[in-house]
Amino acid sequence: MNGLPWLLRNTELLTMSLFTRKTGRKIPFFKHRKKFIWPLFLAVCTFLLPPDTSYAEPPAIHLVRIETLAEQVVGEKLVTDIYRRAGIRLTITPMPAKRAIMMAVKGEKDGEMLRIWNFGEKYPDLIRVPTPISSLKTQAFAVKTKNILIKNKNDLSLYRLAYVRGVQHTTDITAGFDRAFDLSSARSLMRFIQIGRADVALTSRINGLAV
């Protein structure tokens, strides 16, 4: 397996953010330089409360993420650590991409983490948390012996493509191509091109190299 010498969106990093429902709970997020403000505010408010005032701990925030993707695993560790330092309880559940979307849109979970910018345009019921927490570049992968050469996006139409179902950046790139197969995981993509069912696998660079 070999990464082709070409990156889709080569001059632009796709930033990824958290998304939450407009009518759901507000999800706090913090810029790095302000990471100590929120816990300090909580500490001051707690100190000022009368001695007999009871404090009810707010419920944990429940997010979902796409399962099996390397960048999502890294993002989960980052977000979990940010919220832990802020003193906010957080749980993150991995699941298939399309199911994760539905859980967030229907309000069964508080939001979804690590989606690209235009994900919010496609799902207007969700609010994009404006602070990016990660970035990615879309990478094409192919079997070395195939000698596939891709110089621009239009060249993709010459090949049979495979991408992970429900992942927005590769869904956007393959839109309009007749020979594009959506599969369940990046590992499935690589097996698919190894057995000759597709010519090119499209996923993030970190995800493809991690398989």
Side-chain angles (χ1 to χ4, degrees):
M1 203 67 54
N2 185 39
L4 299 180
W6 171 70
L7 284 172
L8 291 163
R9 302 285 183 95
N10 190 41
T11 59
E12 176 187 5
L13 280 176
L14 297 177
T15 58
M16 295 184 288
S17 303
L18 294 171
F19 285 81
T20 183
R21 293 183 73 241
K22 289 182 178 178
T23 57
R25 297 171 58 194
K26 290 185 178 180
I27 296 181
F29 202 80
F30 317 95
K31 293 184 179 178
H32 179 73
R33 65 176 179 274
K34 297 181 179 179
K35 64 181 179 180
F36 297 113
I37 292 178
W38 177 247
L40 177 62
F41 176 75
L42 284 179
V44 171
C45 289
T46 303
F47 177 77
L48 293 177
L49 289 174
D52 59 344
T53 300
S54 60
Y55 171 71
E57 185 178 15
I61 291 172
H62 297 275
L63 301 179
V64 292
R65 69 166 177 85
I66 303 173
E67 64 184 7
T68 76
L69 300 184
E71 70 267 13
Q72 297 270 333
V73 174
V74 174
E76 177 178 349
K77 292 180 179 180
L78 172 65
V79 172
T80 298
D81 186 61
I82 290 171
Y83 278 78
R84 179 188 59 78
R85 294 186 185 194
I88 298 173
R89 292 188 300 134
L90 175 72
T91 62
I92 300 174
T93 304
M95 58 184 62
K98 286 197 171 182
R99 184 182 171 202
I101 295 170
M102 290 301 101
M103 295 288 279
V105 170
K106 291 180 179 179
E108 295 182 28
K109 298 293 184 181
D110 295 316
E112 183 175 1
M113 56 171 285
L114 288 181
R115 289 288 193 168
I116 63 172
W117 181 267
N118 67 347
F119 180 81
E121 308 301 324
K122 188 172 182 179
Y123 297 96
D125 288 337
L126 298 177
I127 297 175
R128 182 190 303 108
V129 177
T131 308
I133 57 176
S134 185
S135 62
L136 63 81
K137 285 186 176 182
T138 307
Q139 176 82 53
F141 291 86
V143 176
K144 285 183 178 180
T145 56
K146 294 288 186 178
N147 296 318
I148 291 174
L149 179 63
I150 300 174
K151 295 182 179 180
N152 54 59
K153 179 182 175 180
N154 292 332
D155 289 343
L156 292 175
S157 63
L158 302 174
Y159 303 104
R160 296 168 299 167
L161 310 173
Y163 65 99
V164 177
R165 185 180 304 118
V167 175
Q168 196 64 47
H169 67 103
T170 46
T171 298
D172 291 344
I173 289 167
T174 56
F177 294 144
D178 295 330
R179 298 186 298 168
F181 304 92
D182 59 338
L183 304 177
S184 60
S185 68
R187 192 169 298 276
S188 298
L189 299 184
M190 300 311 175
R191 285 198 297 265
F192 209 64
I193 62 175
Q194 282 178 329
I195 64 176
R197 298 287 301 277
D199 305 307
V200 175
L202 296 171
T203 187
S204 71
R205 181 176 177 85
I206 183 176
N207 194 45
L209 295 176
V211 174

